[in-house]
Structure formats: structure tokens, C-alpha cells
Amino acid sequence: MPIQYYIYFCLALFSIGVVGVLTRRNAIIVFMCIELMLNAVNLLLVAFSKMYNGLAVQNGVANTAGIDAQIFVFFIMVVAAAEVSIGLAIIVMMYRNTHSIDINFLNRLKN
Amino acid sequence: MNIVEILFYALSVFAIVCAIMVLISKNPIHSVLWLILVFFAISGHYILLNAQFLAIVNIIVYAGAIMVLFLFVIMLINVKKDSEPQKQLFVKLIGVIAGGSFLTLSISLVKQAMPLVGKTVPLKEGTIGLIHPLGKALFNDYVVPFEISSVLFLSAMVGAVLIGKK
């Protein structure tokens, strides 16, 4: 499978996430679109690691080339889990204070 | 066209359709359920790439833990189904145009990129995605970031409790 197909697919998922962040006003859905973008990047990292590994195996270099990218994806998932817990706590706190999760109410820093 | 390519195209189309449904569904709970389907499709892609450990971790962490957290928060704050005021039409149009132009620009850049020509991703083979090599790399070369991430989790837990407490 050519690497370009994976890049096109991940770009499409990432762009859908960008459109969601730009057009929706519900804070939870904006947050979910950020998760979608994060997953698109993860999939692209794994695809590039397999591409690099395939090239290295063809050239007869080490068998474990490209394993770093998969470790990186693992750490990205770890950090995303921590980020989601903090972000959802912030959304709950925002709902307690304003009784809404509309992100357009979050403009107090503007003035 | 062999079975692997058919699976690749089917999973890609399924993931993109579900991702669009995340955007256009009005009810946030439906959005969460569509997003879980997107994560299952991405896990299918990981299995096609023979990254079995990441496929399982993706299902457990994303589709299991994080999405349950989202559902729990949506149920907790009890938003009305149509309490989300709609943005004006031209704001939506501008958002779609911005995303679409980003997509076309990047696709045209990738099409011109010479270092990518002829590179292929070997599907269904390779051993770097299995647990044995990943565990060896994680506990030899990356043991310090692994331990630091546990400190990160501790601080995230303390922070979530502190923010969530009234």
C-alpha cells in the first residue's frame, strides 16, 4: 500500500477535526474533535514507522528499526488520557459557573 | 485487488463517514457513539499494519476509558438536546471552506513530494508492532519517560480532583 494513501486518509480525518473545532459551539464536541485530530496523527506515525521498518529490512539493517515511533504513539496516548481528565474537569467547572457549555461565553479574558 | 486493500478502503471510508457524522449529529451522545466507531476503525487500521499492541491499547484507552469519561460528563451536566445555539450559516461556511482549503493544499503538497514516491507500507507483516519488541524497547531505552509518565498521571489525578472539587 503506497504511503500516500495513508497520508490522504489521515489528512482527511485531521481536516474533519479542524472543521469541527471551527464550526461547533459545544465545548465537549470541540474537545472530541481534538481527540479525532490526535488519532489521525497517531495513525500516520504508525504508518511511517512501518514504512521505515520495511525499508530497513530491505536494506538488511536492524530488524527493529522504526520501533521508536510506536513507543511515541504509546506515550501520546498516555498524555492524551491525562489531558482528557483535566479538560473534562475544566468543562464541568465551567458548567457549574456559567450553566452552559457554549464556548462563546468564554470571552472574559478579552476585556 | 486483494483482501487487504479492500479492507483498507472499507475501513477508511467507514472512518471518514463516522467522523462526518460526529460533526453533523445534533445530540452530543450520538456524537460520542460515532466517535467510538471511528476509534474502532482506526484500531482496524492498526491491526492491518500489524501494530497489535497499539490496536489493543487504542481500544482499551480511547474507546473504553476516554469515551466513557465523555459520556459520563455529558450525563452529569445534562445538556438539553437543542440548547446549543446554532452559529450563523456563514460562520459554518467559513469553517468548512478553511478546512477544505487546508485539505486540498496539503494533498497537493503530498502529491508533489518526491521523497515519498515509490515508498510503500508493508501490510500484514513485520514484527515491530508486537508486544515482545515493544516491551523490550520500552523497558530498556524508554524506562525513564515511562516512569515520568506515572508522575504525570499522579499530577493529572490531583489536578482533576482539585478542579472538580467545589
Side-chain angles (χ1 to χ4, degrees):
Chain A
M1 188 64 65
I3 184 71
Q4 279 98 344
Y5 291 178
Y6 272 101
I7 301 179
Y8 298 153
F9 169 59
C10 294
L11 276 175
L13 275 186
F14 191 88
S15 304
I16 290 170
V18 169
V19 171
V21 170
L22 289 179
T23 56
R24 294 304 294 260
R25 289 174 69 172
N26 193 331
I28 293 180
I29 295 187
V30 170
F31 206 32
M32 277 160 51
C33 290
I34 293 172
E35 293 298 313
L36 188 63
M37 290 153 74
L38 214 57
N39 262 280
V41 174
N42 274 352
L43 180 58
L44 199 54
L45 263 175
V46 176
F48 272 122
S49 91
K50 292 295 289 188
M51 182 193 91
Y52 185 67
N53 184 48
L55 285 179
V57 168
Q58 270 180 12
N59 296 335
V61 202
N63 201 16
T64 61
I67 204 169
D68 304 320
Q70 306 215 358
I71 301 276
F72 273 21
V73 171
F74 177 67
F75 280 117
I76 289 172
M77 284 177 182
V78 166
V79 173
E83 171 228 334
V84 163
S85 66
I86 294 291
L88 286 176
I90 289 175
I91 288 177
V92 169
M93 188 189 68
M94 171 184 153
Y95 180 74
R96 274 203 203 124
N97 287 333
T98 64
H99 290 285
S100 161
I101 50 170
D102 193 341
I103 54 171
N104 284 18
F105 284 133
L106 288 183
N107 56 3
R108 289 181 197 160
L109 280 179
K110 204 163 70 178
N111 306 319
Chain B
M1 189 184 269
N2 54 6
I3 183 87
V4 177
E5 293 184 11
I6 294 173
L7 271 177
F8 173 81
Y9 290 123
L11 281 174
S12 305
V13 170
F14 179 69
I16 288 176
V17 168
C18 291
I20 290 174
M21 288 305 289
V22 172
L23 286 195
I24 63 177
S25 55
K26 290 270 184 290
N27 195 338
I29 291 184
H30 292 169
S31 288
V32 172
L33 296 179
W34 284 114
L35 195 61
I36 290 176
L37 288 184
V38 175
F39 288 155
F40 272 101
I42 288 177
S43 285
H45 272 291
Y46 286 151
I47 291 174
L48 271 188
L49 287 167
N50 216 4
Q52 302 171 1
F53 174 69
L54 286 178
I56 296 299
V57 168
N58 197 42
I59 287 181
I60 291 175
V61 172
Y62 270 104
I66 292 181
M67 286 299 119
V68 167
L69 212 57
F70 270 101
L71 273 181
F72 199 65
V73 168
I74 288 175
M75 283 189 251
L76 199 67
I77 64 183
N78 189 20
V79 184
K80 305 284 185 307
K81 191 184 290 182
D82 46 11
S83 68
E84 180 186 359
Q86 292 300 307
K87 277 189 177 177
Q88 296 94 343
L89 190 63
F90 78 92
V91 178
K92 280 187 180 175
L93 200 65
I94 285 173
V96 172
I97 287 173
S101 50
F102 170 73
L103 181 62
T104 46
L105 178 70
S106 340
I107 283 180
S108 63
L109 277 179
V110 171
K111 272 198 168 147
Q112 293 176 5
M114 288 310 286
L116 295 179
V117 172
K119 299 285 199 306
T120 57
V121 180
L123 297 179
K124 255 192 358 176
E125 56 189 56
T127 58
I128 61 167
L130 307 184
I131 291 182
H132 181 69
L134 271 177
K136 266 189 160 174
L138 187 62
F139 289 107
N140 283 323
D141 303 334
Y142 292 94
V143 66
V144 178
F146 183 74
E147 296 295 338
I148 290 174
S149 70
S150 68
V151 180
L152 172 78
F153 265 124
L154 184 65
S155 63
M157 191 174 74
V158 173
V161 170
L162 205 63
I163 292 173
K165 209 169 62 175
K166 187 69 179 177

